C-alpha cells in the first residue's frame, strides 16, 4: 500500500505545516539606530510589522519614532540622556509580537515601547509589559478591550493593564462614526457587513452594526472571510444579490483592496467602507477601482493640522523611503510622550534616572500633556487618548481625500 | 437561491484554476510517486516571472500584446525552476526512502518563498498584477469578469493539448509506459530520466498558466500565494485520483464547486448558520477530501493500484 501511505503521510505533514503557517515570514531584525554618546542611553523600543502585507504602515511607524528620537537628541530634550530606538518586526502576528515583548523587557536600556500596529498583537504583549512595568504606547490599536476590559460593551469598564496607553482612538468610536456617516451623510440604508474575524476587524464590524441599526439602517447580510483570502467571488455574488447599497468591511487593506476591486469588476458598483486599517496608499494601489470607497481614521488628517506641518517637513528632510502613512503622527507623538515621561522622571530625581525608572516612567506618562503632531496628547483613566476626533476619507483621483472630520459623541 | 447560476460559474472558474495546478501534482506523482510539495511555489515563481515581463514592457503596451509575453516569461521561469529542482533536489534522492524527497520538497518550498521574499524588489508585500479592463460579460443572471475569460479559454485548451500529447506523441506514450512500469520501460529503451524531466516541465508550464490566471483574478501576486493554492490543488489531485490527469481537472472542478456552494448556501441550511460563509470554505473543502478518501480512497477517477513493493 505504499501509494496510499505516501498520500496519507503527506496530508499529515502538510496539515501540520499549515497549522504553523510554515514559518514563511522572515524574522529580520532592524538595526539599532540613533547615536549613543556619553551619559545615559535610553532605548525606545518599536514593535510593528516591518515586513509582510502591512509593512507600509509598520515602516511609517518605525521611521516616525526614529524621527522623534533624533529630534530629542538634537534638542537635548532630556539633558544627559541620549535616546536610541530598537525596532523589532512582529510581521503583524501575535506570536512574534510576544517574543519581541520579552526581548524588549530583557533589555535594561528600554524604558518605553511604541507599538504595535495590530490589536491582536497588542493582546499578546500587554501582560509581559505590565509585569515588567514597561510603558507601551500604541499609535494604532483601536480594539476597545485593550484598555477598557472585555466587558466594555456592557458598560463595565475596567482597565486591565496600567502600563498600556494609546494615541489612537478606539473602535468604540470609529465603528459608530462610520455608521453615522453612511446613514446620515451618504444616505445608505442597506449595508452588507464583512469582517476578517481578527480582533480589530470583528470589533469594528460589531460596533458599526449596533450604531447603524440604531440609525434605522438594515444589515442585509453578514459574511466572515479569512485575512489571507484574495479570492472573493462567492462573497461578491452574495453581495450582488443582496441589494446592498454599501459594504462595510472590518479588516485591513491587503484583503480589502482585492475585495473592493472584485466587487466592482463583477459590476457591483457600491462603495466599500472600512476603518483606519484600509486607509493606506496600498489600498488604492491594489485596487484601481477604489474611487468612491470610504475609510475612517482616528484623529484629524495630519496634513490639515498646523502642528503637523513641521513633522511633515522634517519627515521629508530626513529622506525616508517609505511614507509616514496613517499612523506616522501618532507614532511620533507616542515616542514623544515616552520622552516626556523620561524627562519628568529624570527631573524629579535631580537630572539623573533613578533605579526602577520603568515604573516611574509609567506614572509619568499617565500625566503627560503636550501639544503634539496630532493635537493635544494626554491620556484618560483607561490609558486612552483624550483626543477623540475622527475623519472620514474617500478615494478621489487615486488619493485619499478628506470627506468629513468630527468628534463622535454617542 | 436565485444567485445559484452565478455561484456555479464561480465554482467552475475556481475549479479550473485548481485543476491547472493539480495537473503538476498528478503528473509527477504518476511517474515518480513523489508529492512535489514545492509545486505551489512553482506557481508563485511563474507569477513573478510574468509580473517581471509586464514591468519590463514599455508602459501603455496593450494587455493583448503583453499577456502572451507574460505567459511565455512565466512558463520559462516556472519550467526552469522545476527542471532545476528535479535535477538538483529530487534526482539525487530517487532511490532514497519515500520520505526523503517529501521533506526535500517542503524544504524547497520554503526556500523558494524566501528567495522571492528576500530578493525580488518589494516582494515583502503584495505586488500589483494587471487586470483585463472592462465591464463583466453578462449572460442572463451570470456575470463573467473579463479577467476570468483568460482562465475559461486557457484551461480547456491546456487540457486538450495535454490529452493529445499523452495519447498521440511518442514522448507521451513513453510517459504512459514509464508511469505504468518504469523498470520495464527502461528495458524497452525509454530514457526514463528524460521522461521524468518532461513531467516536471509540463506540470510547471501549467502552473505558470495558473499563476497568470490567479494574478489576473485577484489583481496581485505575493510570495505566499503558492502555499494555500498548492494545498488546494493537491487536494484536488487526490480528490480526482492522484496520477490521473483527467482526475486532476475533475477534482479541481469538484473542489471549486464545493467551495463556492459552501460559501453561498451552507449558512442558510437549518442549524448551520455558524458554519457557513467565506471563512469556512477551506474547512468544507477539506471535509470533502476526507469524505472522498473514506468512501473512495483511490479518488474519483483513480484506479486501485496493486502494491508493487
Amino acid at each position: 500500500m505504499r501509494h496510499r501511505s505516501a498520500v496519507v503521510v503527506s496530508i499529515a505533514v502538510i496539515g501540520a505545516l499549515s497549522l504553523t503557517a510554515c514559518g514563511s515570514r522572515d524574522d529580520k531584525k532592524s538595526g539599532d539606530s540613533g547615536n549613543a554618546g556619553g551619559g545615559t542611553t535610553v532605548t525606545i523600543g518599536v514593535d510593528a510589522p516591518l515586513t509582510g502585507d502591512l509593512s507600509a504602515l509598520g515602516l511609517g511607524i518605525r521611521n516616525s519614532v526614529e524621527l522623534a528620537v533624533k529630534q530629542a537628541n538634537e534638542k537635548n530634550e532630556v539633558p544627559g540622556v541620549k535616546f536610541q530606538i530598537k525596532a523589532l518586526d512582529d510581521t503583524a502576528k501575535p506570536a512574534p509580537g510576544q517574543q519581541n515583548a520579552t526581548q524588549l523587557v530583557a533589555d535594561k536600556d528600554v524604558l518605553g515601547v511604541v507599538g504595535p500596529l495590530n490589536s491582536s498583537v497588542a493582546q499578546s504583549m500587554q501582560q509581559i509589559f505590565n509585569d515588567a512595568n514597561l510603558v507601551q504606547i500604541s499609535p494604532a490599536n483601536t480594539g476597545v478591550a485593550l484598555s477598557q476590559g472585555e466587558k466594555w460593551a456592557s458598560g463595565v469598564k475596567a482597565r486591565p493593564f496600567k502600563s498600556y496607553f494609546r494615541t489612537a482612538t478606539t473602535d468604540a468610536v470609529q465603528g459608530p462614526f462610520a455608521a453615522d456617516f453612511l446613514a446620515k451623510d451618504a444616505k445608505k440604508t442597506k449595508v452588507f457587513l464583512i469582517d476578517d474575524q481578527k480582533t480589530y476587524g470583528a470589533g469594528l464590524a460589531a460596533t458599526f452594526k449596533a450604531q447603524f441599526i440604531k440609525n434605522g439602517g438594515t444589515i442585509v447580510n453578514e459574511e466572515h472571510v479569512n485575512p489571507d483570502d484574495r479570492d472573493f467571488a462567492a462573497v461578491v455574488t452574495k453581495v450582488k444579490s443582496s441589494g446592498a447599497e454599501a459594504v462595510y468591511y472590518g479588516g485591513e487593506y491587503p484583503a480589502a483592496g482585492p475585495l473592493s476591486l472584485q466587487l466592482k469588476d463583477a459590476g457591483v458598483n457600491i462603495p466599500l467602507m472600512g476603518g483606519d486599517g484600509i486607509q493606506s496608499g496600498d489600498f488604492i494601489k491594489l485596487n484601481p477601482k477604489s474611487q468612491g470607497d470610504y475609510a475612517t481614521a482616528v484623529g484629524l488628517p495630519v496634513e490639515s493640522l498646523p502642528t503637523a506641518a513641521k513633522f511633515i517637513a522634517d519627515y521629508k528632510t530626513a529622506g525616508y523611503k517609505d511614507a509616514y502613512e496613517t499612523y506616522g503622527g501618532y507614532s511620533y507623538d507616542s515616542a514623544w510622550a515616552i520622552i516626556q515621561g523620561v524627562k519628568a522622571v529624570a527631573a524629579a530625581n535631580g537630572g539623573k534616572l533613578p533605579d526602577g525608572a520603568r515604573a516611574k516612567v509609567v506614572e509619568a506618562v499617565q500625566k503627560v500633556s503636550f501639544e503634539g503632531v496630532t493635537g493635544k496628547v494626554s491620556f484618560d483613566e483607561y490609558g486612552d487618548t483624550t483626543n477623540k476626533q475622527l475623519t472620514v476619507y474617500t478615494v478621489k483621483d487615486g488619493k485619499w481625500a478628506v470627506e468629513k472630520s468630527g468628534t463622535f459623541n454617542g | 437561491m436565485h444567485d445559484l447560476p452565478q455561484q456555479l460559474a464561480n465554482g467552475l472558474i475556481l475549479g479550473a484554476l485548481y485543476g491547472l495546478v493539480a495537473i503538476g501534482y498528478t503528473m509527477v506523482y504518476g511517474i515518480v510517486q513523489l508529492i512535489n510539495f514545492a509545486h505551489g511555489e512553482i506557481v508563485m515563481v511563474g507569477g513573478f516571472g510574468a509580473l517581471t515581463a509586464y514591468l519590463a514592457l514599455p508602459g501603455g503596451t496593450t494587455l493583448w500584446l503583453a499577456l502572451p509575453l507574460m505567459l511565455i516569461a512565466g512558463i520559462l521561469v516556472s519550467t526552469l525552476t522545476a527542471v532545476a529542482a528535479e535535477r538538483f533536489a529530487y534526482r539525487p534522492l530517487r532511490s532514497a526512502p519515500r520520505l526523503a524527497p517529501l521533506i526535500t520538497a517542503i524544504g524547497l518550498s520554503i526556500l523558494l518563498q524566501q528567495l522571492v521574499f528576500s530578493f525580488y524588489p518589494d516582494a515583502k508585500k503584495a505586488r500589483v498584477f494587471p487586470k483585463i479592463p472592462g465591464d463583466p460579460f453578462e449572460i442572463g443572471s451570470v456575470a463573467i469578469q473579463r479577467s476570468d475569460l483568460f482562465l475559461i479559454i486557457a484551461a480547456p485548451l491546456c487540457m486538450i493539448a495535454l490529452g493529445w500529447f499523452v495519447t498521440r506523441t511518442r514522448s507521451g506514450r513513453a510517459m504512459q509506459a514509464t508511469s505504468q512500469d518504469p523498470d520495464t520501460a527502461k528495458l524497452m529503451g525509454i530514457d526514463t530520466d528524460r521522461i521524468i524531466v518532461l513531467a516536471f516541465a509540463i506540470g510547471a508550464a501549467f502552473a505558470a498558466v495558473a499563476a497568470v490566471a490567479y494574478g489576473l483574478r485577484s489583481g496581485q501576486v505575493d510570495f505566499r500565494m503558492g502555499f494555500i493554492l498548492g494545498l488546494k490543488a493537491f487536494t484536488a489531485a487526490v480528490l480526482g485520483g492522484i496520477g490521473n490527469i483527467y482526475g486532476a481537472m475533475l477534482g479541481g472542478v469538484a473542489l471549486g464547486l464545493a467551495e463556492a456552494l459552501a460559501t453561498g448556501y451552507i449558512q442558510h441550511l437549518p442549524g448551520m448558520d455558524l458554519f457557513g460563509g467565506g471563512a469556512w470554505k477551506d474547512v468544507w473543502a477539506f471535509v470533502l477530501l476526507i469524505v472522498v478518501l473514506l468512501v473512495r480512497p483511490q479518488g474519483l477517477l483513480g484506479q486501485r493500484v496493486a502494491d508493487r513493493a
Side-chain angles (χ1 to χ4, degrees):
Chain A
M1 300 297 279
R2 80 180 177 189
H3 298 109
R4 257 178 71 196
S5 57
V7 172
V8 169
V9 167
S10 315
I11 293 172
V13 168
I14 212 70
L17 268 179
S18 62
L19 281 177
T20 59
C22 204
S24 58
R25 300 284 190 125
D26 196 340
D27 201 27
K28 218 177 267 172
K29 307 266 184 308
S30 185
D32 300 348
S33 68
N35 38 353
T40 321
T41 302
V42 167
T43 304
I44 296 182
V46 177
D47 177 273
L50 304 178
T51 60
D53 291 339
L54 295 170
S55 57
L57 298 174
L59 291 168
I61 293 176
R62 189 204 55 198
N63 295 345
S64 303
V65 173
E66 195 179 74
L67 185 65
V69 161
K70 222 158 69 185
Q71 295 186 344
N73 288 339
E74 277 164 15
K75 282 193 213 159
N76 206 13
E77 182 74 17
V78 185
V81 172
K82 284 278 172 215
F83 290 95
Q84 60 175 15
I85 78 162
K86 180 176 192 166
L88 302 179
D89 182 11
D90 64 23
T91 68
K93 292 202 177 87
Q98 197 166 33
Q99 286 163 14
N100 293 347
T102 314
Q103 200 180 330
L104 289 168
V105 162
D107 184 340
K108 292 296 164 227
D109 288 341
V110 176
L111 288 189
V113 177
V114 178
L117 171 69
N118 304 77
S119 296
S120 48
V121 177
Q123 263 180 335
S124 75
M125 309 175 110
Q126 285 179 311
Q127 184 76 54
I128 297 168
F129 286 136
N130 203 57
D131 289 347
N133 273 320
L134 184 56
V135 70
Q136 169 190 21
I137 308 183
S138 169
N141 294 159
T142 50
V144 189
L146 293 171
S147 60
Q148 300 177 11
E150 293 298 335
K151 292 187 191 133
W152 65 272
S154 58
V156 187
K157 293 184 186 176
R159 182 177 185 177
F161 301 105
K162 68 175 189 335
S163 67
Y164 178 83
F165 298 86
R166 56 178 144 197
T167 49
T169 35
T170 66
D171 297 332
V173 291
Q174 189 172 192
F177 190 72
D180 278 358
F181 174 82
L182 270 190
K184 292 174 187 161
D185 298 82
K187 307 266 184 249
K188 307 285 183 196
T189 54
K190 290 187 276 183
V191 165
F192 198 109
L193 195 62
I194 304 176
D195 75 71
D196 68 356
Q197 311 168 88
K198 283 163 68 172
T199 312
Y200 165 72
L204 198 57
T207 55
F208 172 88
K209 183 182 174 184
Q211 180 74 11
F212 194 70
I213 291 172
K214 212 160 120 194
N215 282 334
T218 318
I219 303 289
V220 289
N221 204 348
E222 282 177 62
E223 259 293 340
H224 310 281
V225 297
N226 299 316
D228 285 337
D229 277 351
R230 297 294 178 266
D231 182 356
F232 300 102
V235 173
V236 164
T237 302
K238 288 177 112 173
V239 175
K240 192 175 186 181
S241 64
S242 71
E245 293 164 349
V247 169
Y248 188 80
Y249 179 74
E252 288 141 357
Y253 65 80
L259 172 61
S260 168
L261 178 59
Q262 287 170 35
L263 275 168
K264 276 121 196 163
D265 270 347
V268 192
N269 288 312
I270 57 175
L272 177 135
M273 185 170 197
D276 51 345
I278 75 168
Q279 204 253 324
S280 155
D282 277 18
F283 174 79
I284 299 169
K285 240 191 269 167
L286 289 173
N287 176 11
K289 295 188 179 171
S290 52
Q291 177 93 358
D293 283 351
Y294 298 108
T296 49
V298 290
L300 297 174
V302 163
E303 293 79 0
S304 79
L305 292 165
T307 44
K310 189 175 169 317
F311 168 73
I312 295 169
D314 290 346
Y315 194 94
K316 215 170 168 188
T317 316
Y320 292 114
K321 188 165 78 62
D322 325 276
Y324 53 85
E325 289 279 352
T326 323
Y327 305 110
Y330 296 94
S331 308
Y332 184 94
D333 284 350
S334 301
W336 204 254
I338 294 172
I339 292 166
Q340 292 306 311
V342 171
K343 187 178 182 179
V345 169
N349 195 43
K352 286 183 79 179
L353 286 174
D355 293 337
R358 280 180 175 176
K360 294 203 171 75
V361 172
V362 172
E363 285 164 30
V365 165
Q366 182 71 58
K367 289 180 214 139
V368 296
S369 176
F370 62 93
E371 277 304 316
V373 169
T374 57
K376 187 161 178 270
V377 178
S378 60
F379 302 101
D380 66 11
E381 70 265 44
Y382 303 105
D384 287 335
T385 175
T386 49
N387 180 350
K388 304 233 191 281
Q389 284 163 316
L390 289 141
T391 302
V392 175
Y393 294 83
T394 184
V395 180
K396 223 176 244 166
D397 305 322
K399 271 206 224 99
W400 286 108
V402 176
E403 183 81 15
K404 185 191 177 188
S405 286
T407 308
F408 178 76
N409 335 290
Chain B
M1 296 291 267
H2 57 291
D3 53 6
L4 183 64
Q6 178 73 58
Q7 290 291 22
L8 289 175
N10 293 343
L12 282 173
I13 292 166
L14 188 62
L17 178 65
Y18 291 157
L20 279 179
V21 185
I23 296 282
Y25 280 96
T26 241
M27 290 196 67
V28 168
Y29 185 83
I31 289 175
V32 282
Q33 273 78 52
L34 161 73
I35 309 270
N36 179 15
F37 273 129
H39 191 61
E41 275 60 45
I42 301 288
V43 178
M44 186 265 296
V45 295
F48 277 92
L51 177 69
T52 311
Y54 177 75
L55 295 175
L57 288 168
T61 314
T62 67
L63 211 51
W64 300 115
L65 184 66
L67 208 50
L69 295 174
M70 287 161 66
L71 261 179
I72 292 168
I75 289 174
L76 266 178
V77 173
S78 280
T79 315
L80 286 178
T81 311
V83 169
E86 195 280 328
R87 179 66 191 83
F88 298 109
Y90 300 138
R91 194 179 296 182
L93 292 171
R94 199 164 299 151
S95 52
R98 195 70 69 227
L99 268 178
L102 186 72
I103 301 298
T104 306
I106 291 165
L108 190 65
S109 147
I110 295 169
L111 176 74
L112 287 173
Q113 277 191 27
Q114 291 298 322
L115 283 178
V116 171
F117 176 84
S118 306
F119 296 113
Y120 197 91
D122 268 345
K124 289 176 174 59
K125 47 192 182 190
R127 293 292 313 253
V128 177
F129 204 83
K131 298 203 74 158
I132 300 177
D135 291 331
F137 290 102
E138 310 255 357
I139 308 161
S141 65
V142 179
I144 307 284
Q145 296 187 29
R146 289 195 182 227
S147 294
D148 285 341
L149 277 187
F150 171 80
L151 192 57
I152 292 171
I153 295 166
L157 277 184
C158 285
M159 283 308 292
I160 291 168
L162 184 63
W164 175 82
F165 174 81
V166 173
T167 51
R168 296 273 182 268
T169 65
R170 271 182 81 83
S171 296
R173 285 196 292 258
M175 196 173 266
Q176 287 188 29
T178 311
S179 106
Q180 278 164 18
D181 190 336
D183 296 332
T184 314
K186 210 168 193 169
L187 288 174
M188 295 295 126
I190 292 173
D191 182 352
T192 48
D193 276 344
R194 196 180 69 86
I195 295 299
I196 292 167
V197 170
L198 198 59
F200 272 91
I202 293 174
F206 276 61
V209 176
V212 171
Y214 176 97
L216 290 172
R217 268 173 81 75
S218 59
Q220 56 173 286
V221 288
D222 75 276
F223 74 99
R224 287 169 308 158
M225 66 183 252
F227 184 65
I228 285 287
L229 187 58
L231 211 57
K232 291 279 185 66
F234 167 63
T235 309
V238 175
L239 209 55
I242 194 156
N244 183 315
I245 52 175
Y246 299 106
M249 216 48 183
L250 182 70
V253 168
L255 191 67
L257 284 174
E259 261 194 52
L261 296 180
T263 311
Y265 305 111
I266 283 194
Q267 226 168 1
H268 304 306
L269 298 178
M272 296 294 277
D273 51 335
L274 271 181
F275 308 106
W280 283 78
K281 64 179 188 191
D282 295 353
V283 175
W284 294 117
F286 290 107
V287 166
L288 176 70
L289 174 70
I290 291 167
V291 169
V292 168
L293 286 182
L294 286 177
V295 178
R296 202 179 147 79
Q298 68 272 37
L300 297 172
L301 291 189
Q303 284 152 3
R304 237 172 236 289
V305 188
D307 199 353
R308 274 205 304 247

